[in-house]
Amino acid sequence: MGTSFLSSEEYDELAHRHYDAGEYDEALHVLREGLAQYPESVLLQVGLGYTRVAREEYAWARQCFERALELDPEYEDAWVGLGESLLKFGKVDEALECFARIDEMGLADDLELGLTVGRALYREGLFTDARARFSALSAAHPDSAELAAARGYTLHALGDDLGARRELRRAVRLDGELHEARIYLSHLLHDRGDQRGALTELEQVPPEEHWDTLSLWRYIELKSQLDGVADDDAWFLPWRERLEELDAEPDEIDHLLAEVEASFEGAVDEGAQAALELSAQMDFIMKILGAPPAEAAAVKPAPHRVRTAEGSVFEGSWDEIVAGMRDSCGEPTITLSSFMRRAARQIRERTGTDVPFHSAEAFLKAGARMGLLHIEE
């Protein structure tokens, strides 16, 4: 069906459907077509900006948001988008000024805007600023489970595990189906030594709602130890089936995507990418995977050397380095692809950034560009 007679709002709705489905190329095409007909549409300019953000085209995204603000200086979503884009280039003070404009417009208590701003700050490792934003919102929205969970994640990143557990408990009380928050809480309880509490939380998460193998294996282990259910009991069948789904080898489409990702490895602007994420994210990933604090990993010397944010050093081939990271987490039996897939999923959930995981070299180099680790060679 042609789109020649659509209104700007209809173009925006169509682009949103593509965006929500992860079809960013299609969304981009629709928005460009819409802007060709409605060049003064602030709505479409902002939509184009966020689509550029999703495609990690931050310089173009910034231009879109600046153009939107030229058309309407009071458009709050454009100020938020511009702030997000500026953070990607390390312009923290300018980004905070953009977010402050939201408050000056009387929208400091807007839940959706506040969550967007707080999460953007969190992704860039600005945890103190994120906590301040979430805490201010909490007074106006005490019943928001999403907000409580976001505050819990931030408190954990700041080292306040007690506060994090309290907020995550509140989140799952407010919304019993907020499974990500419940799994996160179970990990914190397990780290604290409260195995029964960790199991109690995991028991309330259906197998299909698990997106990493650690929580599945942990449930099986705790259920066996604490309740005496045999490891090969039929009770665990749904959990083992889910494990097989997550551990499944990548299909041909995955391989093709990996090749495309690899082909662009050398074409990335290292200077711009260096500001994407901060090293505290790797600390979160290693904690959530249950990695013990290690000064270094005993891997045989080879051409490559990698140092993680917490100071662990790994040497060897790319595969050997990833294997060392996996082993330091205490799970040497899982495959490298499963380990990288799980870590990539956790990074995406916390930062919104996709990391290639079908190649150890691509996986590590992407982590280095994001500031999660340093390649010393």
Side-chain angles (χ1 to χ4, degrees), residues 217-257:
W217 279 119
R218 184 160 285 172
Y219 171 78
I220 293 172
E221 177 187 11
L222 292 175
K223 191 71 174 175
S224 299
Q225 290 179 354
L226 301 180
D227 292 344
V229 179
D231 188 62
D232 57 354
D233 194 286
W235 172 272
F236 291 129
L237 182 60
W239 281 266
R240 294 195 179 281
E241 289 177 344
R242 183 59 176 157
L243 276 168
E244 291 179 2
E245 291 176 9
L246 295 178
D247 279 336
E249 288 299 315
D251 57 25
E252 291 305 314
I253 294 178
D254 289 328
H255 283 300
L256 178 60
L257 290 174

Side-chain angles (χ1 to χ4, degrees), residues 280-331:
Q281 293 296 342
M282 179 57 87
D283 179 60
F284 163 76
I285 296 301
M286 297 305 282
K287 282 183 179 179
I288 209 68
L289 294 179
E295 292 300 320
V299 189
K300 66 180 182 180
H304 310 297
R305 179 182 171 91
V306 167
R307 183 181 298 275
T308 66
E310 66 277 7
S312 297
V313 177
F314 302 88
E315 297 179 353
S317 66
W318 298 120
D319 284 343
E320 287 171 333
I321 289 171
V322 174
M325 291 179 170
R326 176 201 61 190
D327 294 349
S328 75
C329 294
E331 294 187 272

Side-chain angles (χ1 to χ4, degrees), residues 77-97:
D77 287 324
W79 281 113
V80 174
L82 179 58
E84 285 190 69
S85 301
L86 289 169
L87 283 177
K88 297 300 182 181
F89 296 103
K91 298 181 179 296
V92 176
D93 291 339
E94 293 179 36
L96 293 178
E97 289 176 7

Side-chain angles (χ1 to χ4, degrees), residues 148 151-152 155-156 160-169 188:
R151 190 162 185 268
L155 290 173
H156 176 241
D160 182 2
D161 285 359
L162 177 62
R165 292 194 298 270
R166 182 167 53 245
E167 286 298 307
L168 290 169
R169 284 194 177 99
L188 294 186

Side-chain angles (χ1 to χ4, degrees), residues 6-16 19 27 30-32 34-35 38-52 64-65 67-78:
L6 295 181
S7 66
S8 60
E9 290 79 9
E10 288 171 326
Y11 273 112
D12 180 66
E13 290 175 7
L14 178 58
H16 259 97
Y19 184 97
V30 170
L31 289 164
R32 281 173 167 169
L35 282 167
Y38 305 98
E40 304 299 306
S41 171
V42 181
L43 183 67
L44 295 179
Q45 280 289 351
V46 170
L48 184 61
Y50 275 110
T51 302
R52 294 293 195 187
C64 292
F65 293 125
R67 171 60 178 157
L69 289 169
E70 289 174 4
L71 295 168
D72 183 356
E74 300 299 311
Y75 203 89
E76 61 271 16
D77 287 324

Side-chain angles (χ1 to χ4, degrees), residues 110-175:
D110 186 286
L111 180 60
E112 184 176 350
L113 287 176
L115 280 171
T116 301
V117 170
R119 286 166 175 163
L121 294 166
Y122 178 96
R123 284 194 296 269
E124 300 309 311
L126 301 171
F127 302 127
T128 301
D129 293 296
R131 178 181 60 186
R133 177 67 58 170
F134 292 141
S135 296
L137 276 176
S138 294
H141 303 278
D143 297 328
S144 171
E146 229 181 335
L147 177 57
R151 190 162 185 268
Y153 303 146
T154 306
L155 290 173
H156 176 241
L158 286 167
D160 182 2
D161 285 359
L162 177 62
R165 292 194 298 270
R166 182 167 53 245
E167 286 298 307
L168 290 169
R169 284 194 177 99
R170 190 161 71 88
V172 296
R173 280 199 303 270
L174 290 168
D175 183 355

